[in-house]
Amino acid sequence: MKDEQSGPLKLIFNYNDVFYSFYYDDLGGCTHRSREYAINYVYSGEMILDNGTGRIHVGKGECVFIPRDHHITMYKRTKDGERYCGIFLMFTRRFLREMYGRLGPRTVPADTPKPGPGVIKLPKTVELASLFASMTPYFDPDVKPNDDFMNLKLQEGLLALLHIDKRFAPALFDFNEPWKIDIMEFMNENYMYEFTMEEMAHYTGRSLATFKRDFRKISDLTPEKWLIRKRLEVAYAKLKEGGRKVVDVYAEVGFKNPSHFSTAFKKQYGISPTAAFP
């Protein structure tokens, strides 16, 4: 799981791929990516998920299913005077392989369709209510569960999903490599985020070696240099056409600090951004 955020005071505990989150201040927004399937339960407060086309509100006592490799923006906020607290169960591919071995091929009936590609708000069921009620004592950071107990909770969460909708089975138990997606489409949509080379390869459905080879076919630049140039081009357009200020633009396009942005800008355009756009 990867979150990119700054500002609010928060605590996150990971117990064998079960994450307990506490937010003591309202969160303006964080970019969230999970390489694995997951479910997120809101114990208190409120979570708003924005996928770019719509928003899903998740209130106290509600739970959502988050697909693998899905990109969303999360807002975690105080609601009715209660700070946000949540439980995030991550189903790794290793865990799902083990469970598939136990449950057997009958778990995935032939011709069963997969659920839609986005986040799904789950109905309130007895199984989910029982699962999360048994996990709430571990919001106390002084009470640490054993790994084998958390593994049982992951198993309960998986079974609860399968009982809610049989369409979850062919998605969760699909162990094929992800389909390749267009590299340039991915890069143009995600240039502002801080990816490692390995992450760029993963999110486009490639091995690292294949990603490097495919990228050489479409650009004379390395992926890192391509990203810098793309960020500079977008920043230049924002400064020129939008009348924006440097301090408002550099982080928006993916630079960590104004000094790094200014150095790269001057190298690209032969003049500092403040001199070009005073």
Side-chain angles (χ1 to χ4, degrees):
M1 181 179 67
K2 181 176 181 179
D3 287 306
E4 299 171 357
Q5 60 203 33
S6 62
L9 177 62
K10 65 184 185 299
L11 291 174
I12 299 177
F13 300 101
N14 178 8
Y15 300 126
N16 194 34
D17 296 323
V18 177
F19 297 81
Y20 283 76
S21 301
F22 308 76
Y23 287 83
Y24 294 90
D25 301 302
D26 285 351
L27 177 62
C30 70
T31 301
H32 170 92
R33 304 176 192 86
S34 176
R35 290 189 174 185
E36 312 292 352
Y37 290 107
I39 56 177
N40 200 138
Y41 171 77
V42 176
Y43 176 71
S44 63
E46 178 185 41
M47 178 171 64
I48 301 171
L49 306 177
D50 189 336
N51 62 9
T53 59
R55 289 190 168 194
I56 298 175
H57 290 254
V58 190
K60 181 177 181 178
E62 294 184 320
C63 186
V64 289
F65 171 77
I66 301 175
R68 184 176 64 202
D69 297 332
H70 194 60
H71 171 270
I72 50 176
T73 300
M74 289 183 170
Y75 301 88
K76 299 173 181 179
R77 297 175 174 169
T78 299
K79 181 75 171 180
D80 298 328
E82 295 182 321
R83 70 173 184 265
Y84 173 85
C85 295
I87 304 175
F88 185 94
L89 277 67
M90 185 168 69
F91 304 119
T92 66
R93 193 166 295 198
R94 175 184 292 182
F95 168 78
L96 291 172
R97 283 187 184 277
E98 291 175 356
M99 291 300 296
Y100 183 74
R102 295 183 192 180
L103 298 173
R106 295 179 185 176
T107 307
V108 187
D111 301 324
T112 302
K114 294 182 180 180
V119 172
I120 299 172
K121 182 182 282 193
L122 301 173
K124 293 184 178 182
T125 66
V126 172
E127 290 83 4
L128 286 176
S130 174
L131 167 65
F132 290 113
S134 70
M135 298 176 72
T136 54
Y138 300 103
F139 273 112
D140 183 346
D142 294 326
V143 181
K144 294 181 171 56
N146 293 321
D147 285 349
D148 55 356
F149 181 79
M150 284 292 104
N151 185 263
L152 286 175
K153 296 298 139 182
L154 286 169
Q155 293 180 40
E156 285 185 46
L158 176 64
L159 292 174
L161 273 178
L162 297 177
H163 289 162
I164 287 171
D165 193 327
K166 63 182 181 181
R167 292 179 300 169
F168 284 122
L172 291 162
F173 298 124
D174 179 4
F175 304 115
N176 294 319
E177 288 300 313
W179 290 101
K180 290 184 181 180
I181 65 173
D182 184 86
I183 289 179
M184 275 304 155
E185 180 180 345
F186 174 83
M187 300 282 275
N188 278 303
E189 290 180 352
N190 297 278
Y191 67 86
M192 70 291 293
Y193 301 118
E194 185 180 351
F195 286 116
T196 64
M197 187 84 78
E198 289 79 7
E199 287 173 325
M200 287 189 282
H202 175 82
Y203 287 120
T204 58
R206 293 165 170 83
S207 67
L208 181 57
T210 301
F211 176 81
K212 290 179 179 179
R213 185 182 67 242
D214 289 352
F215 198 87
R216 285 195 295 269
K217 295 177 183 178
I218 57 178
S219 177
D220 294 331
L221 300 173
T222 64
E224 295 89 346
K225 289 183 178 179
W226 186 95
L227 284 171
I228 291 174
R229 188 178 70 177
K230 174 68 176 181
R231 291 168 179 170
L232 289 170
E233 289 174 349
V234 175
Y236 189 96
K238 288 177 179 288
L239 292 168
K240 181 179 179 181
E241 300 166 11
R244 306 282 299 281
K245 293 184 179 297
V246 172
V247 70
D248 299 324
V249 167
Y250 78 89
E252 194 174 299
V253 298
F255 285 95
K256 291 183 178 180
N257 57 66
S259 176
H260 182 207
F261 171 64
S262 181
T263 300
F265 190 98
K266 188 171 183 178
K267 184 176 180 180
Q268 175 76 14
Y269 297 109
I271 187 173
S272 70
T274 51
F277 303 100

